[in-house]
Amino acid sequence: MLEEEKNSNEQNFFDQMANEPSPIPLKKLQRSKSNVVIAGVCSGIAEYLKMDTATIRIIALLTVLIGGWGAVAYIITSLLLPVEQKPKQLTDDEIYSQRKENFMTVLSGLLILAGIHFALVYIGFRSGERIFILPNDFVFPFVSMALGIILLSKNVAVFSEPGFQTPDSFSRSRTDRKIMGVCGGLSKYLNVDSSALRIIFILATLLTLGIFCIVYIYFSLFTFYETEQKFE
Amino acid sequence: MPDEQILGGAIIFYSLPTAYFSLENGKRDKLVWATILFCVSVVLIVKSYFEILDTRGIIFVSILFVSGTVLMLLFIENMKEKVFFFSSLILILLSYLSVTFFKNLGLFETANKIGNLVEVFWPVILIVLGIGIFIKRKK
């Protein structure tokens, strides 16, 4: 009887110890479950190192330039690391903004990666026939398949922001403007990034010998500025 | 079947229904990207069927025509915005004139010189675009 009571007391003590928060928070390297693009490895590393997740993701993408060994390391790490036990509880808006940020991070990483790769190919430091350690003809079908899967999956629902209403009419922007606010207004009307739109516009202007300037002047002459917001 | 035809066919298969449903749902961002993709795929398929000597010249005309088409579809999506209709007419008309009347003015030669510069510096443009998107990712 005494033995049983002693055992149960010991059990209660250990249970209590397990439930009590540790005075020194333990840093665990684990895969994230709340902020995932592929397997949550980059997010886990960022949490462990207390760094920005996007920066780790960009660095991970740029490892492709050294022969794709980063991808192999990623697969091995995702198999070895445990998954986070208590993921952060996020609201719908937080999930949406996180998903959008992740999409923008991956897109920017891919653009930087492609830019550096082709710059190195032009200089002659890299072979144009290989992107990874494998030849282009072998890699491109996989890239196309991955793009198709991403497009079909719901992870690219970044285009439809919950609660975001595109304006009914087109007007020039007062707040986001460089010259006459046409690109800023157009980006708001179309719900696209204004800086990307400006770069595309400048490129199109250069390649068409300035014909796009006519369109810009036309837009700025025949559209009004957006109505001023009044704050009380 | 050449790669350009397969790629063009796949893009048409994706972009055409996307543009149609975006018109119905009023999602202008998707409508713009789908229209651009559709036009690019048409250019790819046409290029694979015909032997075009001045390939740089296609870019000049295509940019004008694609932009005009995008603006026309934006007008169809929102008929109140007459500014899109008239600007699209200007661009489509200029794209037609550039291959007929303006061809003898040496328009393509000058455009080709700028095209040569872009051909050299386009990786830099990609990097700048990527850094720009990365900085503004949280907005």
Side-chain angles (χ1 to χ4, degrees), chain A residues 52 167-168 170 190 212 218, chain B residues 28-29 67 78 81 86 130 137:
Chain A
D52 184 29
D168 289 334
F170 169 67
L190 301 175
F212 264 65
Y218 181 80
Chain B
R28 294 172 193 141
D29 50 347
S67 315
N78 187 359
E81 297 296 333
F86 290 113
R137 71 188 186 280

Side-chain angles (χ1 to χ4, degrees), chain A residues 52 54 58 101 105 108 115 118 159 166-170 189-190 194-195 199 206-209 211-212 218, chain B residues 28-29 60 63-64 67 74 78 81 83-84 86 91 94 107 114 120 122-123 125 129-130 134 136-138:
Chain A
D52 184 29
I58 294 285
E101 194 194 330
T105 308
S108 62
F118 288 111
F159 298 107
T166 44
D168 289 334
S169 60
F170 169 67
Y189 185 75
L190 301 175
S194 59
S195 54
I199 292 171
L206 283 173
L207 288 170
T208 56
L209 300 176
I211 286 177
F212 264 65
Y218 181 80
Chain B
R28 294 172 193 141
D29 50 347
F60 185 90
I63 291 173
L64 290 178
S67 315
L74 282 174
N78 187 359
E81 297 296 333
V83 71
F84 290 131
F86 290 113
L91 286 172
L94 281 172
L107 205 67
I114 299 166
V120 174
W122 73 274
I125 297 164
L129 196 65
F134 182 72
K136 286 182 80 178
R137 71 188 186 280
K138 278 184 180 171

Side-chain angles (χ1 to χ4, degrees), chain A residues 12-22:
Chain A
N12 286 340
F13 176 74
F14 285 120
D15 285 348
Q16 209 178 340
M17 282 287 286
N19 289 329
E20 263 183 25
S22 169

Side-chain angles (χ1 to χ4, degrees), chain B residues 38-127:
Chain B
F38 177 75
C39 294
V40 169
S41 58
V42 170
V43 171
L44 279 175
I45 289 173
V46 169
K47 207 169 144 270
S48 70
Y49 274 109
F50 299 98
E51 197 179 336
I52 297 166
L53 297 173
D54 186 14
T55 44
R56 195 68 65 62
I58 304 173
I59 298 170
F60 185 90
V61 183
S62 299
I63 291 173
L64 290 178
F65 188 77
V66 171
S67 315
T69 316
V70 167
L71 289 169
M72 184 61 86
L73 273 159
L74 282 174
F75 167 70
I76 292 166
E77 195 269 326
N78 187 359
M79 294 273 193
K80 288 176 195 165
E81 297 296 333
K82 298 277 190 297
V83 71
F84 290 131
F85 176 69
F86 290 113
S87 52
S88 78
L89 275 188
I90 292 170
L91 286 172
I92 291 170
L93 192 71
L94 281 172
S95 71
Y96 173 72
L97 289 175
S98 65
V99 285
T100 52
F101 294 108
F102 298 156
K103 205 177 177 184
N104 300 327
L105 298 175
L107 205 67
F108 290 138
E109 283 75 25
T110 322
N112 283 354
K113 281 176 192 166
I114 299 166
N116 287 336
L117 279 176
V118 176
E119 198 175 340
V120 174
F121 290 107
W122 73 274
V124 181
I125 297 164
L126 279 185
I127 295 169

